[in-house]
Amino acid sequence: MMKDKILVIGASGQIGVELTLALRRIYGNAQVVASDLREENDLLKGTGPYVSLDVMNKEMLHVQVIRQNITQIYLLAAILSATGEKNPGLAWHLNTQSLLNVLDIAREEQLQKVYWPSSIAVFGPTSPRQNCPQQTIIEPVTVYGISKYAGEFWCNYYNRRFGVDVRSLRYPGLISYKSSPGGGTTDYAVEIFNEALEEKKYTSFLSAGTSLPMMYMPDAIRATIELMEASAANIAVRTSYNLAAISFSPAEIAAEIKKHIPGFAITYEPDYRQAIADSWPQSIDDSAARKDWGWKHEYDLPGITADMLLNLRQE
Ligand code: NAD
Ligand code: SER
């Protein structure tokens, strides 16, 4: 059997750095090729192969896939929700064309598997706000959400029509300390930790009570790898799986941080990102992921807060 050889596209981003390192631990350093438009992240340097790659250049992508004997692709390049609203045309173009490039090449080269993340941003103001189900009314109002929802149907189409084994998760907001977030509405939940340690204060761009679905990066990385390692027979959802851990608001995370940093103070100055957050559900029903391939989250808010502060203090 051919040995797995993985290409991670967007490897220098918030998820890409940790996912690449986790995949290298499992498959071996030489078997996981990191790639990005921007320079190699410092944490990746010396841990395995890196190529500079623009996913929009389909020919060059195809050449790399053949040259490196790639059998699986993890496509992480995207423009996220807040940045997307500043340049909707670019966000649509990158988020959808990058996926089509990868799916076409996966079909042509008969790759074993493809991973592509969707987001809770597919849901809109007409979706249920609590325990939002896998299948429900989905009317996204951001270009990011529209591009992710369209992408989900392209995944489903390439799977049904051409047999491409493409798998996907609707991540909630992700919290991490290794690589900075890249322009999302949930980025406040990372910024707050850095500011709490450096300044003992933070001004939130979301209002005090804005509750959103969130997850700690180690849970998200484990979910991704568990989904990709599950038997194809267990993957019933070929658009994208709802995925959940916890939900909290800026006021709730601030209260948790205060337990560790008593002098910490939070103020609120909601900006354009408030409307994006208000259009998303507050909690997600991920029972299909739990049933089909055994998903179970580990980290709660106290656990995330303690681990974030511990690791950021050591940096
Ligand atoms: P990020 O912005 O931190 O990283 C994306 C990476 O893609 C960057 O390093 C960027 O340089 C690279 N990139 C951009 N354009 C490229 C191109 N043309 N060619 C090659 N690389 C390019 O984003 P992230 O948070 O790591 O998100 C990764 C994926 O997960 C995205 O699809 C995103 O929509 C999805 N997602 C993220 C979150 C989250 O909270 N971080 C939540 C839901 C879904
Ligand atoms: N965390 C992401 C964002 O805020 C959700 O996809 O854009």
Side-chain angles (χ1 to χ4, degrees), residues 80-82 118-121 144 171-174 183-187 280:
L80 278 79
S81 61
S118 183
S119 161
I120 55 153
Y144 177 68
Y171 290 133
L174 300 181
T185 301
T186 55
D187 291 8
W280 293 346

Side-chain angles (χ1 to χ4, degrees), residues 9-16 35-38 53-56 75-80 94 116-120 144 148 170-174 180-183 186 217:
I9 302 170
S12 287
Q14 190 195 7
I15 300 173
S35 73
D36 204 293
L37 196 57
R38 59 171 146 153
L53 183 73
D54 180 355
V55 67
M56 301 299 273
L75 170 58
L76 304 173
I79 291 178
L80 278 79
L94 174 66
W116 171 83
S118 183
S119 161
I120 55 153
Y144 177 68
K148 288 292 181 187
R170 290 173 178 158
Y171 290 133
L174 300 181
S180 309
T186 55
M217 190 61 86

Side-chain angles (χ1 to χ4, degrees), residues 58-78:
K58 191 174 173 186
E59 256 176 66
M60 283 313 295
L61 174 62
H62 204 157
V63 165
Q64 284 296 344
V65 166
I66 293 169
R67 189 183 288 163
Q68 310 263 2
N69 293 315
I70 296 300
T71 62
Q72 299 186 23
I73 296 180
Y74 286 68
L75 170 58
L76 304 173

Side-chain angles (χ1 to χ4, degrees), residues 142-183:
T142 62
V143 67
Y144 177 68
I146 298 168
S147 68
K148 288 292 181 187
Y149 200 38
E152 290 187 4
F153 283 97
W154 277 118
C155 292
N156 194 47
Y157 182 82
Y158 270 72
N159 177 259
R160 283 167 178 267
R161 174 99 201 262
F162 305 121
V164 175
D165 188 353
V166 51
R167 306 177 181 197
S168 179
L169 297 171
R170 290 173 178 158
Y171 290 133
L174 300 181
I175 300 163
S176 67
Y177 58 88
K178 287 192 181 157
S179 178
S180 309

Side-chain angles (χ1 to χ4, degrees), residues 7-227:
L7 177 65
V8 181
I9 302 170
S12 287
Q14 190 195 7
I15 300 173
V17 169
E18 300 203 37
L19 187 58
T20 302
L21 293 173
L23 290 169
R24 284 180 174 161
R25 280 193 293 273
I26 297 169
Y27 293 93
N29 288 352
Q31 297 309 111
V32 181
V33 181
S35 73
D36 204 293
L37 196 57
R38 59 171 146 153
E39 61 182 23
E40 186 177 20
N41 185 287
D42 283 346
L43 293 173
L44 295 180
K45 284 183 181 155
T47 70
Y50 176 84
V51 292
S52 179
L53 183 73
D54 180 355
V55 67
M56 301 299 273
N57 187 335
K58 191 174 173 186
E59 256 176 66
M60 283 313 295
L61 174 62
H62 204 157
V63 165
Q64 284 296 344
V65 166
I66 293 169
R67 189 183 288 163
Q68 310 263 2
N69 293 315
I70 296 300
T71 62
Q72 299 186 23
I73 296 180
Y74 286 68
L75 170 58
L76 304 173
I79 291 178
L80 278 79
S81 61
T83 309
E85 291 310 293
K86 292 182 182 158
N87 194 337
L90 184 67
W92 168 258
H93 190 50
L94 174 66
N95 295 359
T96 51
Q97 193 58 50
S98 60
L99 177 60
L100 287 171
N101 288 353
V102 167
L103 290 174
D104 266 347
I105 292 168
R107 175 192 169 199
E108 217 169 302
E109 299 304 326
Q110 300 190 323
L111 299 190
Q112 279 170 12
K113 284 178 216 169
V114 172
Y115 178 74
W116 171 83
S118 183
S119 161
I120 55 153
V122 294
F123 299 115
T126 50
S127 304
R129 290 210 90 192
Q130 304 300 337
N131 294 320
C132 190
Q134 177 70 41
Q135 285 172 317
T136 184
I137 299 170
I138 300 188
E139 297 179 325
V141 292
T142 62
V143 67
Y144 177 68
I146 298 168
S147 68
K148 288 292 181 187
Y149 200 38
E152 290 187 4
F153 283 97
W154 277 118
C155 292
N156 194 47
Y157 182 82
Y158 270 72
N159 177 259
R160 283 167 178 267
R161 174 99 201 262
F162 305 121
V164 175
D165 188 353
V166 51
R167 306 177 181 197
S168 179
L169 297 171
R170 290 173 178 158
Y171 290 133
L174 300 181
I175 300 163
S176 67
Y177 58 88
K178 287 192 181 157
S179 178
S180 309
T185 301
T186 55
D187 291 8
Y188 91 86
V190 176
E191 290 172 9
I192 194 170
F193 285 103
N194 293 302
E195 299 279 313
L197 285 169
E198 281 165 29
E199 309 287 341
K200 288 205 170 189
K201 60 183 173 50
Y202 178 66
T203 302
S204 170
F205 57 75
L206 297 182
S207 66
T210 307
S211 191
L212 288 171
M214 296 282 188
M215 180 177 284
Y216 200 31
M217 190 61 86
D219 273 343
I221 300 298
R222 187 168 51 79
T224 308
I225 292 172
E226 285 177 5
L227 172 79

